[in-house]
Every structure is written in C-alpha cells, then in structure tokens.
Amino acid sequence: MKHILIGLLSMVCLAVMPATIIGHGMTPGRIEKDSQGVVNVETDTLKDSLQIQADEKVAEVTEKPTVTEAEMYERTVDIIKKYESLHRAEHWPYIGYGHKVRKGDKYAVGVELSKKQADRLLRKDLDVYLDMYKDFGRDAYLLAALAYTCGHGRVNKSTVLAKLKRGDRDIRDAYLAHSRSGGKFRKQLYERRVEEFESLYIP
C-alpha cells in the first residue's frame, strides 16, 4: 500500500509541475527537437524580451542628438585653421588662414595678421561661401570648405555640385578627388578632404 501511495504522489507532482512553472511568470512555448535530438524551447516571454531589446537599440539610434548649426560652423573653422596655419610674410599674397589678397583688399604687401585678425577674416570669407551655397542646406558647410581652398569657380563646375543638384548623394569619391595642386596629387590635401568629408558631410 505504501508503494502505491508513493507512485500516486509522483504522478500528481508531474501533472501539477507545468502549472507551477506557468504560475511563476512563464508562458507556454513550443518544444521541438533539432536534427541532433536536442530539445529547444521557444517561449513567448523570450520573444518579447528580444523584441524589447531590438526596440531599445532602434530608439538609441533614432534619439542620437543632431549637430547644431553653430557646431558645424566651428568644425569648419577648426579644419581650415588646422590645415592652413597662420600665414607669414613670405606667403604673400596669402595672409591670415589662407585668405588670398584680392584687388580692393586693403592689406599692405607682406602684412602679417594676428590670430584674432586672421580668425575674423576667416569667418568673413566663410560667411560669403556659406551664403553662396545656402540653397544646398546641410551640404553648405562641405561646399564652403571646398570652395575655401579650391575657389567657388571650380566648385561650381565640379562633379560634387552636379551630383548634389540632381539629388545624388554618393559624392565621397568626387569630393576626395579634389586633392591635387599643380597637377599633382598632394597627400596633405587628400587628408584634408577626408577630414572635411567625415566631419561636415551629413547623410
């Protein structure tokens, strides 16, 4: 009789176990065997957990703060300063941070500007280019940075501008191609183009 009672008790425990598990917050899933006979259990709870994690990742990307106009402006100024450096008397007709003295500019031959004067002149030139390309919205800073060294005439005839006008944003190679001076490839110019593109291009 004792053995019979123990057997009956075991059967009752096995029958109650799934309900106990469910009662602890788990929902029924699908149980199946793979080709090697290993049992896989896929629960609704696991699905929900993975979906929540995926949604959180998407939210992180979506909520990434955008770069402000002021930040873009200062980025452009910093890049120009980095690669131009402050010009000296022997660099005439270039003064400040790469400003080419033009007819009508009131600068004496061989003049050397202070950092403050050079910064003010740089921003004045940059403002002109930004206004010139303002219709290109987010691409204005990239075009202005290119025009600062190549001149707006060359930029206006470039493949870069032509592509942007027709809505083609695959411009990286065309932009980096502006790395020649005097008909020769210049490593420093190429490095500058890369930094400009990576810092100022907004997909």
Side-chain angles (χ1 to χ4, degrees):
M1 180 65 70
K2 182 178 180 180
H3 293 297
I4 294 174
L5 289 173
I6 292 173
L8 290 172
L9 182 60
S10 298
M11 292 176 66
V12 170
C13 289
L14 289 173
V16 172
M17 188 177 293
T20 304
I21 293 174
I22 294 173
H24 279 78
M26 294 185 66
T27 55
R30 185 172 69 252
I31 301 176
E32 56 185 26
K33 291 184 178 182
D34 61 18
S35 60
Q36 297 179 344
V38 178
V39 176
N40 296 312
V41 179
E42 182 183 55
T43 68
D44 291 336
T45 301
L46 179 59
K47 285 182 177 180
D48 292 342
S49 177
L50 292 174
Q51 184 60 51
I52 291 171
Q53 292 178 28
D55 291 341
E56 288 176 347
K57 290 293 183 183
V58 171
E60 287 178 7
V61 175
T62 304
E63 294 172 5
K64 186 176 181 181
T66 56
V67 181
T68 65
E69 287 285 324
E71 289 172 330
M72 288 294 286
Y73 190 92
E74 293 305 322
R75 279 186 187 183
T76 310
V77 169
D78 289 343
I79 292 173
I80 293 173
K81 286 183 177 181
K82 175 181 176 179
Y83 288 96
E84 289 293 341
S85 70
L86 193 60
H87 286 52
R88 301 303 177 190
E90 60 268 25
H91 299 138
W92 181 268
Y94 292 94
I95 62 174
Y97 291 109
H99 171 88
K100 184 176 182 179
V101 177
R102 306 177 181 87
K103 185 177 181 180
D105 284 348
K106 298 179 180 180
Y107 295 107
V109 176
V111 67
E112 293 185 4
L113 303 183
S114 66
K115 288 184 177 181
K116 186 175 182 179
Q117 290 172 323
D119 179 83
R120 187 162 54 245
L121 182 57
L122 184 163
R123 292 169 188 273
K124 182 179 178 181
D125 287 342
L126 181 58
D127 289 344
V128 170
Y129 291 127
L130 287 174
D131 185 65
M132 192 177 294
Y133 298 112
K134 62 183 179 182
D135 291 340
F136 289 87
R138 57 185 170 174
D139 299 311
Y141 288 96
L142 191 66
L143 294 171
L146 187 60
Y148 195 92
T149 47
C150 297
H152 66 277
R154 185 176 175 185
V155 172
N156 292 346
K157 297 177 182 178
S158 69
T159 302
V160 174
L161 197 69
K163 281 192 167 190
L164 290 176
K165 283 182 176 179
R166 61 174 181 262
D168 183 355
R169 302 196 59 73
D170 183 18
I171 61 171
R172 188 175 191 277
D173 290 342
Y175 191 87
L176 300 188
H178 291 273
S179 304
R180 305 177 72 84
S181 177
K184 296 182 179 180
F185 172 81
R186 307 292 180 179
K187 182 181 178 182
Q188 189 180 51
L189 264 181
Y190 178 78
E191 292 173 349
R192 180 173 182 168
R193 295 289 95 92
V194 169
E195 185 167 350
E196 287 170 349
F197 192 85
E198 292 181 350
S199 299
L200 305 175
Y201 176 76
I202 303 175

